Structures are given as structure tokens and as C-alpha cells.
Amino acid sequence: MDKKIVIIGAGVSTQYQVLHLLKNGYPGNLINIIDKGNDIHTRKPEEVMNGAGGAGTWSDFKVIPSFNQGGIFFPNYCTNKEYAEKLSKQLYDYIVEYHPESSKIMYTEPVEEPQFIKDSPFELRQSPCYHLGTDYGQQQVKNIFEYFEQCGVNQTYNVEITNIDLHRNEIHIGHNCIKYDTLIIGTGKSGMDLLTKLINKYNLETIPKPAQFGVRYETDGKYFEELNKIAYDFKLYKKFGEDSARSFCTNNFAAFVAEEETYGMKSFNGHAHKDPNKENGLTNFGILLEARGIEDPFVFSKQLVEFFQNEGVATYYSPIGREPSLTDQGKKVPGYKISLNKFKTGFGKYAEYIMEFIEDLNNTFGINDNYIFYCPEVKFLTNEILLNKANLSLPQYPNVHLQGDAAGARGIYISALHGIYVAEALLS
């Protein structure tokens, strides 16, 4: 336990990784976290994507304890199910330990699919869900990072990494150079440009990965009351040949649309609150496509977002002229109105998939076009980098590890397991 560890990105995987290292005796002064956003004390709600806690800090804290959703872990990386479940139990214990009011954690389990869904064009995929709550989640993140400060973990914020030299074990921030023994890359979606540079610079081996993009759909929560009784974070799937669409990150009751800024461009996401005073009667969720055959998912996503930018804001569309809702700060969700033709031009053939998904929502839930969607919502991804399964390291550079979105995660649960999994390897 004498190696200097440098971790790029202060998101979910880093939180639980550093927590696990510290709890098992790793010296805090040998752990270094670098992030281009603000620290936990100065980060603001409008800083959605970057900073201590990562992109999920201001979103709805839902932990889906399933190896079948949320990205790659078991059995692709960790092949021992008993060990994977042990790490999962450890993660839950950490969540409870640092949650400000653990008795308020809401847990739901899958139940029998209702007949109206069986009769619909959708497939309902259910998983257990721990709903931690946005407000509680923010405090939990703060509790964890305050523990890091107590243990002497080095944290550097508001800096941009300009270069990584994997041969010399160096990270460059402007004219400054940071040396490392072990490098961990947990950059999240807002750091995919850095990952893309490394892929190209060091000719890292990758395999194709679907692009993920779509819209943030919003309507009145009353339409989904029956479905909410069995699935708070419902996931509706529909196939389009080799491609597919799904509802993603569903927020109910006190549901808000959040503007994101990534690479200087605006897109959308959503979150929810546990505070009953925040209730607004709305439901929002992403309608997210997984599209195969796109050569570079990262470049495609950037071009899609660029298309819908107008004077620093993104767009919205409603067939009945429904206006944008209010953010949880009480301001109108930013955006400019577009026509359906503009939407179709930007999304190309994929616009038809999204509109068919929405028409099926209309028919299944009786919504009758009473909706608005904000676009685009994208997941900035690179193609999947091949890693050593035992510790998520690069085969050519075994002291460099990837985790979280950089290693194929898509949510709190799998990202956190990545972090603990790599920590276990470093402790062994």
C-alpha cells in the first residue's frame, strides 16, 4: 500500500472505490482525485455534469441492483457470481452508512406484469430498485467526500487535463506534471473526449458499441398511475430491427427536467425529489435509442447535440403546444421551440423510431398527444475498450485502470461496483 494512485474523475465509481480503499487501510495521502468541476462545498445545482459526486449528484438517486441492467460487470468482467454479490452487499452497506436518513430509502421489487402492458407493443423490464431521493443523495455524496478530507485524500478541482503520457506515467495539466504509480480513469460521459484521444494516441483495441441518444419526454403523471403501482422506475422496451428504444431514468411525482452542459453544448436529463413540497404532478423519462452500426458513437452524439443548439440552448417540441415546465429552482426549462420537421431532420431515420414509441405511449396510456419532449438527451460514449477482466486494466498498460462509464457502466450500481472491484484488485 505504498503506490501513488491518481484517479481522473470524482464520480460514483471513484466515491465508492476511494471509500473502500480507505476502509481497508490504504493511506489517504497516497490517493489523488482530479476533476474538472467544483468540489462538494462549492458545486452548484446548475453544474449538472461535472464536480465532486459526478453527473448523478443532482439527479434522481435510484440504485438498480441488477447485473442485467446498467452496463457491464457480471459476468463480462467479474465471472464469479458469489464474489459479485459480495461486492454488491458491501456497496449497499456503504450506501446505508453514509445516507443521512437510511430509514427513508424506498425499495421496490418486480411484480407480475399487468395485462394492459402484456397487450401493448412494449416489453416491461423490471428490477429491484433502491430509491434514495435526490435531496438525500446530495447529502450522502457530501458525507462521503467529507470523510475523504478527514483521511487526507488529495483532491484537485477546476482543472483540465491536457495530456496523459502512459509511457512516462505522467498527467499534464497545463505546464504542470503529476506523476503516478497507478492511474484510474473514471471520467464519466463528460470525459469521453479524453478517452477518445487515448484510444487514438495509443491505438487501444476497441469493439463496436451502440450509440445511445434520444429525447427527454414529459407529461402529466396521472397517465402512469397504474404502472407506478408496480414499477416506480419503469423501463419500457421496443425493438426496431437491430436497434431498440427504451424509457430511461424515469422520474415521478416531483419530477423535473434538468439542462446539462457538456463540451460547451446543452442537452437534457431529469431528476426527482423526495420532498413533498416539490411535487408538481409530472412524470419525465428519457426515450433512449440504442443504435448499432454507427462507427464512432462519440462523434455522432456530439454532432447531434450541435445540430440542436441555438444561442446557447437546446430545443423542445410539443404537438399541442404544451409549454416547458419549471425547473426545481422555479425557472422555465430553457429551450427554443422547434417544428416536427426540424426534429426529423436532426434525428434522421431515428426520428421515426422515437415518434412510433411516443404513439405507442399515446395508445397504451391514453395520453392523446398531451406531451412535450426536450432534445436531445445523449449518452456520450466511446466504443468499448478491451480490458483485463481481473482488474479492468489496459492490457498494454497494466497500471492503468478504467471504471464507470469509461468501462461500460450506465448507472450508479454498476459504476460503484466497478470502483470497489478495482479497489479490491489494488488491495490484493
Side-chain angles (χ1 to χ4, degrees), residues 220-347:
D220 299 327
K222 64 183 181 181
Y223 298 117
F224 300 103
E225 285 180 346
E226 288 303 310
L227 188 55
N228 287 156
K229 291 176 182 178
I230 66 165
Y232 174 87
D233 186 22
F234 54 80
K235 288 180 170 58
L236 300 169
Y237 279 73
K238 184 176 173 67
K239 291 285 291 180
F240 298 95
E242 292 188 351
D243 301 327
S244 63
R246 71 182 190 274
S247 61
F248 174 83
C249 186
T250 301
N251 303 295
N252 294 295
F253 316 132
F256 297 89
V257 171
E259 185 184 45
E260 294 182 340
E261 181 172 339
T262 312
Y263 309 119
M265 300 178 295
K266 300 295 178 63
S267 57
F268 295 100
N269 209 315
H271 56 254
H273 286 270
K274 294 281 282 185
D275 184 351
N277 295 322
K278 292 277 190 178
E279 289 187 7
N280 58 8
L282 299 176
T283 286
N284 70 61
F285 49 82
I287 298 177
L288 204 64
L289 295 172
E290 282 204 358
R292 303 182 183 278
I294 294 174
E295 184 175 344
D296 191 327
F298 178 70
V299 171
F300 178 90
S301 295
K302 281 191 69 175
Q303 291 174 344
L304 183 67
V305 177
E306 286 170 353
F307 179 87
F308 287 104
Q309 301 301 289
N310 182 34
E311 298 182 354
V313 296
T315 67
Y316 65 86
Y317 167 77
S318 172
I320 63 167
R322 185 173 173 130
E323 288 295 309
S325 59
L326 300 181
T327 69
D328 54 357
Q329 286 84 46
K331 300 177 181 179
K332 185 177 177 180
V333 175
Y336 72 95
K337 187 184 300 184
I338 59 170
S339 67
L340 185 59
N341 284 337
K342 173 79 172 180
F343 167 72
K344 289 181 176 180
T345 300
F347 277 82

Side-chain angles (χ1 to χ4, degrees), residues 12 43 45 47-48 53-62 131-138 216 249 251 256 258 260 269-273 328 412:
V12 172
R43 184 177 178 183
E47 297 166 359
V48 176
T57 300
W58 302 111
S59 65
D60 188 24
F61 267 75
K62 294 189 292 289
H131 181 207
L132 310 186
T134 299
D135 308 315
Y136 296 138
Q138 292 164 13
R216 175 60 47 169
C249 186
N251 303 295
F256 297 89
E260 294 182 340
N269 209 315
H271 56 254
H273 286 270
D328 54 357
I412 292 175

Side-chain angles (χ1 to χ4, degrees), residues 29-55:
N29 65 325
L30 293 179
I31 302 173
N32 303 263
I33 300 172
I34 301 173
D35 195 280
K36 63 183 178 181
N38 281 316
D39 63 39
I40 199 61
H41 303 293
T42 58
R43 184 177 178 183
K44 299 175 182 177
E46 58 266 29
E47 297 166 359
V48 176
M49 294 300 290
N50 303 312

Side-chain angles (χ1 to χ4, degrees), residues 21 126 217 272 286 342 369 404:
L21 289 170
Q126 300 186 69
Y217 175 95
K342 173 79 172 180
D369 282 343

Side-chain angles (χ1 to χ4, degrees), residues 352-412:
E352 299 301 323
Y353 299 165
I354 292 173
M355 295 312 298
E356 183 176 327
F357 194 99
I358 289 174
E359 185 59 28
D360 289 337
L361 290 173
N362 276 338
N363 295 333
T364 302
F365 298 98
I367 296 169
N368 298 322
D369 282 343
N370 183 22
Y371 67 84
I372 183 173
F373 64 67
Y374 309 81
C375 67
E377 176 166 351
V378 302
K379 306 304 172 190
F380 288 103
L381 304 171
T382 65
N383 283 323
E384 183 183 332
I385 299 174
L386 294 183
L387 302 173
N388 291 318
K389 293 183 177 182
N391 57 10
L392 307 191
S393 66
L394 296 174
Q396 308 95 313
Y397 305 95
N399 66 328
V400 179
H401 307 259
L402 272 59
Q403 62 189 25
D405 289 287
R410 295 200 308 261
I412 292 175

